[in-house]
Amino acid sequence: MTRERLYLFDTTLRDGAQTAGIDFSVEEKIVIAELLERLGVDYVEGGYPGANPTDTAFFADKRTEAATFTAFGMTKRAGRSAANDPGLRQVLDSAAEAICLVAKSWDYHVRVALGCTNEENLDSIRESVEAVRASGREAMIDCEHFFDGYKANPDYALACAKTAYDAGARWVVLCDTNGGTLPGEVREIVQAVRAVVPGERLGIHAHDDTGHAVANSLAAVEAGVRQVQGTLNGIGERCGNANLVTLVPTLMLKAPFADTLELKTTQEQLADLTGVSRAFDEIINRSPDRHAPYVGANAFATKAGIHASAILKEPETYEHIPPETVGNRRRVLVSDQAGKSNLIGELDRLGISVDRADPRLDALLADVKAREAQGYAYEAADASFELLARRRLGEVPTYFEVKSFRVMVERRFNALGELVTVSEAVVKLDIDGAPRMSVAEGNGPVNALDNALRKDLGRHQDVIDEMELIDFKVRILNGGTDAVTRVLVESQNRRTHKRWFTIGVSGNIVDASFQALIDSHTYTLLKAGV
């Protein structure tokens, strides 16, 4: 059976840039374009040349190798020719290989936003597509608010799509710009559009305002569209865009899509999906979603004991695909619900070989359950769990021994008369039997403790200097001012960028933080082979 070609259009660098708190530099755009090539997308929409200095600079050169380098723009304004429209001219003067122009397809927007007649808007669509084609580029039209426009005035929405197609647009993309359309409506409307534009020339651009962007994209594909637009990790304006990181494996691995459609993405590129997703989160300085489908750290994690036992025997019992297919891995979590099967599976993943009959396993399991009863959560802190396990098995050297610590927080006026808060920490410890004392200031008590602890670790200093704290989370486990506090610290190696989590629990937030800090320092030394 011959499979039809389905095309992937990524708009991370354009529509994704509308995400609150995200502002790409030219250098970041270049790196992200390389990530998208690793994923095997067909089109990379890099931005809107002429709209801002960053996008103009990005389009000064072609930035992709295999993917079609695509610019975004707007159809010409009514009352002037395409040749005399400065916005369209800047897009045409860019290094783009394809140009995707946004056009109004809802008569309400034509009247209110453009202030022109319906016929003038159709003329703008036609002449703009013709101008792009005349420049030797591939032309596409994003029919903005198409689904809302169709529901309000189906004849006019269809006229916009047909005008673009008749003018020679390679793709006519149906946009659910407000994100309020549901899958059944998408399927029905796409089928109606196919009466005037062939499915192999149609695309879908879905927003996630009802949580249906992926479902709407799949519904559109089922109805016949052959281009899917989306972004890495679903970033985008308001609630985001369709998540390509979810769509790609679904289209490649799930029926009926995998049986009837073919993507440019290879199985080898699919196996890089988790790496691409997490690398992108690093670039935008966002912690990866641990519960993300396919690529999240918990996507193939099992906590319940009987489920874990079954998974270790036959992974297919509780996994919809092998995690390695998308570059992820299986995790059998260690928690107060765990049985010995969980424990053995997790130890095996960490490279710790223990016989099932080893009595130390029962003691370790009892330790885990007792500590989680106090508030520890080891499924969220792999590094602390590994240290706990290896200590029980006698595999963690004593790199240093903390004798005491003290933290002082002072709020005062500085020499400039400004009100400041200063934190100072004192840490006393033994290293190789020699006592040491370090004093350091920091931006808050935890930072001061970290600075003091890492200030003088003797022969371990070079290794510790490679470690940095990157995130810090606090959770109150019960109410009141005497509440128990759980602290989760995320650290990484500056050189390898490997990340890990450590945990501390105490009625004192500073003490809980210091526990997590000590574990992070110890884990750094352990992994360095000290």
Side-chain angles (χ1 to χ4, degrees), residues 46 59 63 113 146 180 216 296 298 307 336 341 344 397 439 520:
F59 275 93
R63 304 293 186 178
F146 183 85
N216 283 342
N298 292 337
H307 291 190
D336 62 356
S341 294
I344 292 173
V439 181
S520 186

Side-chain angles (χ1 to χ4, degrees), residues 57 88 90 93 118 211 240 257 286 331 361 367 437 462 465:
L88 182 57
Q90 284 191 288
D93 288 342
N118 288 352
F257 312 106
R286 186 176 72 172
R331 296 176 66 234
L361 281 179
D367 280 349
M437 183 178 75
D462 289 344
D465 285 344

Side-chain angles (χ1 to χ4, degrees), residues 294-313:
Y294 293 104
V295 299
N298 292 337
F300 299 94
T302 301
K303 185 171 181 177
I306 57 172
H307 291 190
S309 180
I311 278 184
L312 293 173
K313 294 173 184 175

Side-chain angles (χ1 to χ4, degrees), residues 242-256:
N243 188 348
L244 283 183
V245 174
T246 301
L247 277 167
V248 170
T250 299
L251 292 165
M252 292 183 68
L253 302 174
K254 300 296 184 179

Side-chain angles (χ1 to χ4, degrees), residues 207-260:
H207 282 257
D208 206 35
D209 296 70
T210 64
H212 288 86
V214 168
N216 283 342
S217 300
L218 295 175
V221 171
E222 285 184 308
V225 309
R226 289 299 175 259
Q227 187 203 86
V228 176
Q229 296 195 0
T231 60
L232 285 176
N233 294 343
I235 69 166
E237 190 175 18
R238 302 185 311 275
C239 305
N241 288 47
N243 188 348
L244 283 183
V245 174
T246 301
L247 277 167
V248 170
T250 299
L251 292 165
M252 292 183 68
L253 302 174
K254 300 296 184 179
F257 312 106
D259 301 328
T260 58

Side-chain angles (χ1 to χ4, degrees), residues 37-90:
E37 298 249 57
R38 282 169 54 183
L39 189 55
V41 302
D42 297 282
Y43 297 89
V44 171
E45 187 178 49
Y48 190 169
N52 58 74
T54 298
D55 284 2
T56 300
F58 185 63
F59 275 93
D61 296 298
K62 184 177 180 295
R63 304 293 186 178
T64 60
E65 295 182 9
T68 301
F69 191 44
T70 307
F72 176 82
M74 297 180 66
T75 54
K76 76 168 192 69
R77 285 179 281 182
R80 64 176 61 192
S81 68
N84 290 320
D85 188 288
L88 182 57
R89 175 49 49 193
Q90 284 191 288

Side-chain angles (χ1 to χ4, degrees), residues 412-420:
R412 56 176 169 79
F413 289 95
N414 63 15
L416 300 176
E418 300 168 330
L419 186 63
V420 296

Side-chain angles (χ1 to χ4, degrees), residues 134 171 174 186-187 265 290 337 444 481:
W171 294 106
L174 312 180
V186 169
R187 187 178 291 105
T265 304
R290 298 178 69 83
Q337 297 181 31
T481 55

